[in-house]
Amino acid sequence: MALAAVADAAPAGLVYRVHADPLTHRFIVDLHIPATDAQEQILAMPVWVPGSYTRRDLARHIVEIHAADDAGALSLRKIDDHRWILHPRGMPLRVHYTVYALDLSVRTAYLDERLGFFNGPALFLRVHGHEQGEHRLELSGPDAWQVATAMPRVGGSDCSWGSFAAADHRRFCNHPVLMGALSFVHFAAAGLPHRLVLAGHEQANLPALGRDLATLCTWQQEFWGSSPFPEYHFLCMGSENGYGGLEHERSSALLCARDDLTEADRAGWERFLGLASHEYFHSWWVQAFHPAALRESVGEEAVLTRDLWVFEGITSYYDDLALRRSGLLSVEAYLEGLGRNITTLTMRPGQGLQNLWESSEDAWIKLYHPHPNSANFEVSYYNKGALLALCLDLLLRDRGENYSLDAFLQHLWHETGGEGAALPEGEFLPRLAAWAGPDVAATVDAWLAARGPLPLSERLASVGLELRLRRPSNPSDKGGKPAEPPLRCWLGAQWHSHAQGVELGWVATGGAAEKAGLCPGDRIVALDRCACSAETLQGRLDAMAPGLPRTLHYFRDGRLWETSLVPQEPPTDRAFLHWRAEVDPETRRRRARWLGLDPDQAADSPVSGG
């Protein structure tokens, strides 16, 4: 299936000539700037990437940079950590620079002998004063490589090196590029051409990927009722165990483990589909209908917003729900995953210290900078935001068949014309109040401000599900389903193997480890004077009843310490959902509509805990 192309056109505005040099892991860039009468010209590299709210200081990857015009070299002076200034002489300018690219992620740039990738902000200097003009990319590299991007092509054949163009700087930076020995899967959704492009996934099950992505994308197109794009590209890199995604205009950049695309591991396959679902949903709910506070940013300074939960939390709610409703995820698997997501929140003492608004505002300094104590002090606007969206959806469904979070999002999309519409900061709740009533908005407002749990038990009961909590059955238990038998003793910490014993990660507030004076990074070497490892520690803890003092030896900063440890009973914080078969007809219908089930069959669905 051919994707749309633009006829060859003469260069206009800025031209970025980029050459990929895999052996040196460098992208070599020659930037051509039209002549200007300005006395000075400022060039800037972003310090953060849209969709990823933390400073990345992308200028640090520039290896060399210099400027010239037809009369010779020009002085290029750095004026801060990401900007340069030069003084034009009324002639066209040429800026030559190279970018070191060895970060295998969806946010920056990577280049080696097998594949290359770049996100625009990691490669393209912003030329002050030229942002609104056309930006052109002329791309070259190894002869045998292919190229994939959603940026409109203006020269060269499909999948080849060539020329691409965007109307302005923002759009130019919103089309990532994947290159290398590529595999392609073409499929249609709602009559629109789609393309999955893979690099580094030699064993991927291409026909099954095309089948399942077509199902998923068709469901989302029908959910919204219209499309903000004429075509779409999933650009996916493979690695040993990577994971991540970032939404863009008409495309998304994805990174996943190679084994996730073989379908041999169903959990990995569903994890990839959930990632694709999340980024595809963002085409409507971020790329088209977007947060006003963030759209105009050029990535040169942090933009604080309390509304990240609106866009990321709601999208996180729908990513797996779209798989369930489209038939790609069983009811059992969906509810098990929901139980794990609830467990992620119930295990975090941080929900008592940070609310969702604060989580959004603190993204720049906290969410993207995790440390072993993060769970004690923070919540994620992805995780808790998704669970708040669940509560809101089920609250609305209590009001009748015409009410749901689906209906509200569709109302916003069609009322505002969808594509290009902005949601002003703090406007989500007033619009919810106007549509569903001030009582609903006031309830959500209270949930957002609360430093504590959400009313998940009450809301899930409205669709015939019972939220149950149990003790962990092993140290890495993530919840989601019943498990027996539970642990006998709880250390109050997470740990992993180390050459010198057992290294502690997260140490829970109020847990036995904290009370014994332990902290992240300590290495336990003996319990009750017997050596222990990551594999034997839990067994040694469980050998005696909780509440009995134990002697523990550990290393910190190269010194051996001894402390008295009093193991506790494990907390009751692993969540799973029990399916209630005996419910009234209205509850059964509401549950069926929510999960995308036939109401006549919804009572007997085999689910976790049922």
Side-chain angles (χ1 to χ4, degrees):
M1 180 186 305
L3 293 167
V6 178
D8 286 358
L14 303 177
V15 178
Y16 296 73
R17 294 193 171 103
V18 176
H19 180 75
D21 186 3
L23 292 179
T24 65
H25 311 294
R26 297 183 186 186
F27 287 105
I28 303 165
V29 186
D30 285 294
L31 168 58
H32 294 249
I33 306 171
T36 175
D37 294 331
Q39 297 300 303
E40 63 181 31
Q41 178 65 68
I42 294 177
L43 309 174
M45 203 73 173
V47 298
W48 63 277
V49 177
S52 181
Y53 307 109
T54 190
R55 285 185 64 99
R56 298 193 182 276
D57 297 314
L58 300 170
R60 68 192 176 96
H61 298 297
I62 293 182
V63 177
E64 60 170 337
I65 182 170
H66 51 81
D69 60 16
D70 289 344
L74 286 164
S75 174
L76 188 63
R77 181 170 59 88
K78 203 163 191 178
I79 55 177
D80 59 27
D81 63 357
H82 67 285
R83 294 187 301 163
W84 295 258
I85 190 170
L86 59 81
H87 299 281
R89 295 185 284 221
M91 292 179 278
L93 303 172
R94 299 185 302 277
V95 181
H96 174 88
Y97 60 101
T98 62
V99 176
Y100 187 71
L102 205 60
D103 177 18
L104 188 58
S105 79
V106 298
R107 303 177 186 94
T108 53
Y110 183 85
L111 184 61
D112 68 10
E113 295 89 339
R114 65 190 181 99
L115 68 88
F117 170 85
F118 64 81
N119 200 337
L123 220 63
F124 300 139
L125 283 168
R126 173 187 170 215
V127 183
H128 283 225
H130 291 261
E131 294 88 347
Q132 300 310 309
E134 182 187 78
H135 286 54
R136 183 161 178 161
L137 170 64
E138 296 183 357
L139 196 58
S140 63
D143 291 342
W145 279 20
Q146 297 169 295
V147 177
T149 178
M151 188 183 299
R153 180 181 286 272
V154 295
S157 58
D158 189 30
C159 304
S160 70
W161 303 111
S163 302
F164 309 83
D168 54 42
H169 179 264
R170 183 184 65 79
R171 289 181 173 86
F172 190 61
C173 287
N174 204 15
H175 293 289
V177 178
L178 182 63
M179 61 194 74
L182 306 179
S183 300
F184 297 85
V185 181
H186 297 90
F187 60 93
L192 300 176
H194 289 61
R195 170 184 281 174
L196 169 65
V197 188
L198 302 174
H201 286 284
E202 294 80 6
Q203 305 300 320
N205 188 334
L206 302 183
L209 284 168
R211 175 200 67 209
D212 285 358
L213 286 174
T215 299
L216 169 65
C217 295
T218 297
W219 185 90
Q220 291 202 22
Q221 290 280 347
E222 292 173 351
F223 176 91
W224 290 102
S226 63
S227 178
F229 52 76
E231 61 187 42
Y232 194 85
H233 303 239
F234 292 100
L235 307 178
C236 184
M237 294 175 284
S239 70
E240 183 178 5
N241 53 16
Y243 181 85
L246 201 58
E247 72 278 1
H248 294 277
E249 181 182 348
R250 304 196 303 172
S251 70
S252 55
L254 308 175
L255 174 70
C256 72
R258 286 183 284 271
D259 290 345
D260 285 355
L261 301 190
T262 63
E263 211 177 10
D265 176 6
R266 187 63 194 177
W269 186 268
E270 291 170 351
R271 182 167 54 247
F272 169 75
L273 291 177
L275 175 64
S277 178
H278 185 99
E279 305 308 336
Y280 195 69
F281 198 89
H282 272 324
S283 298
W284 290 266
W285 195 242
V286 161
Q287 286 295 312
F289 190 82
H290 57 269
L294 297 171
R295 175 52 65 94
E296 300 308 319
S297 171
V298 293
E300 293 188 32
E301 60 183 13
V303 181
L304 265 63
T305 171
R306 296 180 123 195
D307 283 349
L308 289 178
W309 76 269
V310 173
F311 290 95
E312 293 295 353
I314 289 176
T315 301
S316 296
Y317 171 55
Y318 277 100
D319 51 25
D320 279 353
L321 188 59
L323 300 184
R324 158 77 295 274
R325 291 192 189 161
S326 63
L328 295 172
L329 195 64
S330 69
V331 172
E332 183 176 15
Y334 174 71
L335 295 182
E336 182 179 328
L338 183 54
R340 290 196 300 268
N341 289 335
I342 294 171
T343 298
T344 298
L345 184 61
T346 57
M347 287 179 60
R348 294 184 79 92
Q351 68 172 316
L353 295 176
Q354 187 184 59
N355 64 32
L356 266 174
W357 280 326
E358 293 163 340
S359 176
S360 293
E361 289 178 328
D362 286 345
W364 296 93
I365 57 174
K366 292 186 176 180
L367 184 74
Y368 289 91
H369 299 274
H371 53 80
N373 269 323
S374 293
N376 290 328
F377 311 133
E378 306 165 28
V379 292
S380 164
Y381 54 78
Y382 287 90
N383 171 239
K384 190 174 183 180
L387 295 175
L388 185 145
L390 165 67
C391 290
L392 172 56
D393 191 12
L394 299 184
L395 175 67
L396 290 169
R397 289 174 185 275
D398 266 353
R399 301 173 74 89
E401 291 189 14
N402 295 327
Y403 288 90
S404 65
L405 186 53
D406 303 6
F408 180 54
L409 296 186
Q410 291 158 1
H411 162 77
L412 290 177
W413 174 255
H414 294 292
E415 179 190 53
T416 60
E419 187 172 5
L423 183 70
E425 179 77 8
E427 187 65 18
F428 182 83
L429 289 183
R431 295 194 185 189
L432 179 62
W435 184 78
D439 57 326
V440 173
T443 298
V444 176
D445 183 68
W447 294 344
L448 289 166
R451 296 180 182 88
L454 292 165
L456 288 161
S457 293
E458 175 188 357
R459 290 294 96 225
L460 287 164
S462 72
V463 287
L465 295 173
E466 181 182 341
L467 175 58
R468 294 181 176 181
L469 297 173
R470 59 168 177 79
R471 293 176 177 176
S473 62
N474 59 73
S476 59
D477 186 352
K478 294 180 172 58
K481 53 187 175 182
E484 294 292 344
L487 299 178
R488 189 179 188 189
C489 291
W490 187 57
L491 178 61
Q494 294 176 341
W495 64 79
H496 59 270
S497 181
H498 188 276
Q500 295 181 339
V502 181
E503 183 166 318
L504 296 184
W506 171 54
V507 174
T509 296
E514 185 184 70
K515 290 180 178 180
L518 298 172
C519 68
D522 287 348
R523 297 195 298 275
I524 297 173
V525 293
L527 181 63
D528 297 332
R529 303 188 184 280
C530 293
C532 55
S533 65
E535 293 74 27
T536 63
L537 177 58
Q538 186 61 52
R540 293 193 182 280
L541 288 169
D542 286 343
M544 298 176 65
L548 298 177
R550 318 280 291 274
T551 301
L552 186 143
H553 286 84
Y554 65 98
F555 278 102
R556 180 187 297 169
D557 191 29
R559 298 184 65 185
L560 181 65
W561 297 82
E562 178 181 317
T563 187
S564 178
L565 173 77
V566 182
Q568 302 169 338
E569 291 189 353
T572 306
D573 60 3
R574 267 55 170 186
F576 67 99
L577 301 175
H578 172 75
W579 181 279
R580 292 170 49 207
E582 299 299 326
V583 296
D584 61 82
E586 178 52 37
T587 299
R588 183 178 295 111
R589 285 191 293 270
R590 190 161 50 240
R591 180 166 64 190
R593 288 193 297 268
W594 171 54
L595 292 173
L597 294 170
D598 182 338
D600 295 331
Q601 300 174 353
D604 303 317
S605 182
V607 298
S608 184

